[in-house]
Amino acid sequence: MLRLDLQFFSGEKTEKATPHKRREARKKGQVAKSMEVSSALTLLLCFSYLMIAGQSFIEGCMNIFKRSFSEYMLWELSIDNTKLLFTQLLWETVKLVGPLFGVAMVAGLIANYMQVGFMINTEALKMKLEKINPISGFKRLFSLRSLVELIKSILKMSIVGGIAFWVVWRQMDELLKIGNKSIWDAARFIGSLAIQIGMVVAILLIVLAAADYLYQKFDHEKKLRMSKQDIKDEYKKMEGDPFIKGQRRAKQRQMAMNRMISEVPTADVVITNPTHFAVAIRYDFDTMAAPEVIAKGQDHVALKIKEIAKEHKIMTVENKPLARSLFASCEIGDTIPEELFNAVGEILAYVYFQEGRYKEMKS
């Protein structure tokens, strides 16, 4: 019963997402992002631009109307004149609204960079059949996210409508006198009214966008949560199964030990503890500057080294302090430390004398 309970709780997504899970989600385009931030910032920067360049914008519109009624209307209707008229009107319109579109594009780029940084992702462009699944669509329609989006839309419409009504109501007297104004004054008044509405709406929408971004971040983190079992599975996938990894390490150790054991027959002497440690020493006066440790082992490995030495008639010398010192201070392939030269040299001289070999030793 306890085991079933542990399995149940191990499946609950209570753990924060790992860095690997976050990177995979980002590759798929799954990031914490609020569209309201882009809308609010675009609205704010566009109306800020209109506050600065609004007069020139209105003058440009008026010039297009003036030229249309005073010049273009007098042209003869022909294919060439129509092409020229279309080209000129298009160019005037581009010069007029181009900077505004540029500001909107820059605002969108800034808003996206602030939220997710630099990211180019084509995952969203791929065709996915589950997107047109009516059952999945029905579930999305009545999900918590849909409810939040509905509340957000109602709140935005209420804010925009309320602010527009408030600004217009304050200027109601001037608005009723607009018929007595010139075209230029009326256009300037309407433009000023629109900019006031836009700026106040943009500022309030930024507050709403900040709250929406926090919700999107919370929802994103909730979706990325992992269970303890998910983390274990991810670790196995990234690092390999611990059992297989352990087997691989054991195999590597076995191969290393086999290589070491194969070197024992070339040793000159094996220095032992006598049972706990064994260190095989080799020395060639012509090619080596100092004696070299070619094999060493502890407990059962030490016994194996001594067995190999006995089979190949290699002399074994018992010296407990020296065997311990060599085992602790030397790795396989290392030359013996300088402070142990004399002790090892005496043993090698003794071995060479016993075997009838006479080599000059350098201490």
Side-chain angles (χ1 to χ4, degrees):
M1 183 67 180
L2 178 61
R3 186 175 180 182
L4 290 176
D5 290 341
L6 290 175
Q7 289 178 350
F8 173 76
F9 285 113
S10 67
E12 288 188 346
K13 298 185 181 297
T14 57
E15 307 300 314
K16 289 184 178 180
T18 60
H20 176 73
K21 177 73 176 288
R22 294 180 186 277
R23 286 193 297 269
E24 290 299 315
R26 185 177 176 85
K27 288 179 182 178
K28 297 177 182 178
Q30 299 172 2
V31 292
K33 179 182 175 182
S34 171
M35 297 303 296
E36 304 304 324
V37 175
S38 300
S39 301
L41 189 61
T42 301
L43 196 64
L44 179 65
L45 292 184
C46 286
F47 277 103
S48 298
Y49 169 78
L50 290 175
M51 284 183 65
I52 298 171
Q55 184 172 352
S56 62
F57 185 83
I58 294 176
E59 288 177 353
C61 291
M62 296 299 293
N63 287 333
I64 290 176
F65 283 120
K66 285 179 181 179
R67 293 190 65 182
S68 297
F69 289 105
S70 64
E71 181 180 346
Y72 299 144
M73 294 291 290
L74 302 178
W75 288 7
E76 293 183 3
L77 185 61
S78 64
I79 295 177
D80 292 336
N81 286 343
T82 303
K83 289 181 179 179
L84 181 61
L85 175 63
F86 178 78
T87 303
Q88 290 186 0
L89 287 175
L90 181 61
W91 175 241
E92 293 295 330
T93 304
V94 168
K95 288 195 298 183
L96 197 61
V97 301
L100 188 62
F101 286 164
V103 170
M105 184 177 67
V106 170
L109 292 174
I110 292 174
N112 281 277
Y113 185 80
M114 287 170 55
Q115 295 181 86
V116 301
F118 181 78
M119 184 179 70
I120 299 177
N121 190 280
T122 58
E123 188 70 23
L125 301 177
K126 293 182 179 179
M127 180 64 180
K128 295 182 179 179
L129 296 178
E130 59 266 22
K131 289 185 177 181
I132 58 175
N133 188 342
I135 298 177
S136 301
F138 186 79
K139 290 180 179 179
R140 288 194 299 268
L141 185 63
F142 293 96
S143 63
L144 178 61
R145 175 178 286 275
S146 298
L147 180 61
V148 171
E149 293 296 328
L150 176 62
I151 295 173
K152 193 168 60 178
S153 299
I154 294 173
L155 189 59
K156 283 197 299 183
M157 288 189 294
S158 302
I159 290 174
V160 173
I163 290 173
F165 177 79
W166 176 69
V167 172
V168 171
W169 184 260
R170 288 181 57 201
Q171 302 289 334
M172 183 59 70
D173 293 339
E174 290 292 325
L175 190 62
L176 293 175
K177 298 176 184 177
I178 196 171
N180 299 326
K181 299 178 182 291
S182 64
I183 295 178
W184 172 253
D185 290 336
R188 185 168 56 184
F189 174 73
I190 295 298
S192 174
L193 202 62
I195 290 174
Q196 290 181 45
I197 295 172
M199 289 298 294
V200 177
V201 168
I203 292 171
L204 290 179
L205 285 183
I206 283 180
V207 177
L208 178 63
D212 182 63
Y213 175 73
L214 293 177
Y215 168 76
Q216 297 294 342
K217 192 173 182 64
F218 166 78
D219 187 59
H220 178 67
E221 291 293 329
K222 185 178 178 181
K223 288 180 178 178
L224 288 181
R225 283 180 188 171
M226 304 172 68
S227 65
K228 295 183 184 296
Q229 186 62 41
D230 290 337
I231 295 177
K232 290 180 181 178
D233 293 341
E234 182 185 280
Y235 177 78
K236 287 182 180 180
K237 184 178 179 181
M238 292 179 63
E239 301 294 333
D241 193 311
F243 177 73
I244 297 176
K245 202 173 181 181
Q247 285 187 325
R248 190 183 303 121
R249 285 197 297 264
K251 186 68 174 177
Q252 291 171 348
R253 286 194 298 267
Q254 183 64 38
M255 291 173 64
M257 191 176 75
N258 291 339
R259 286 194 300 269
M260 180 188 70
I261 294 298
S262 67
E263 292 291 324
V264 174
T266 65
D268 290 320
V269 65
V270 174
I271 303 172
T272 65
N273 192 30
T275 56
H276 295 295
F277 298 100
V279 181
I281 302 292
R282 179 173 60 195
Y283 179 58
D284 188 336
F285 179 78
D286 295 327
T287 60
M288 295 182 181
E292 181 182 284
V293 175
I294 61 171
K296 70 173 188 175
Q298 186 176 4
D299 297 331
H300 70 280
V301 179
L303 293 175
K304 183 68 174 176
I305 291 173
K306 287 191 290 184
E307 288 176 6
I308 299 295
K310 186 176 180 180
E311 290 177 8
H312 292 80
K313 298 180 181 181
I314 296 169
M315 186 173 291
T316 301
V317 176
E318 180 181 332
N319 189 321
K320 295 180 181 179
L322 183 58
R324 285 181 175 273
S325 298
L326 288 170
F327 186 86
S329 60
C330 297
E331 296 297 330
I332 298 171
D334 291 349
T335 56
I336 63 171
E338 186 176 352
E339 61 270 15
L340 299 178
F341 276 7
N342 290 334
V344 174
E346 291 175 1
I347 291 176
L348 286 173
Y350 170 74
V351 170
Y352 294 154
F353 178 78
Q354 292 293 325
E355 294 178 350
R357 294 185 293 165
Y358 297 97
K359 291 187 178 181
E360 295 181 6
M361 301 292 298
K362 287 188 177 181
S363 301

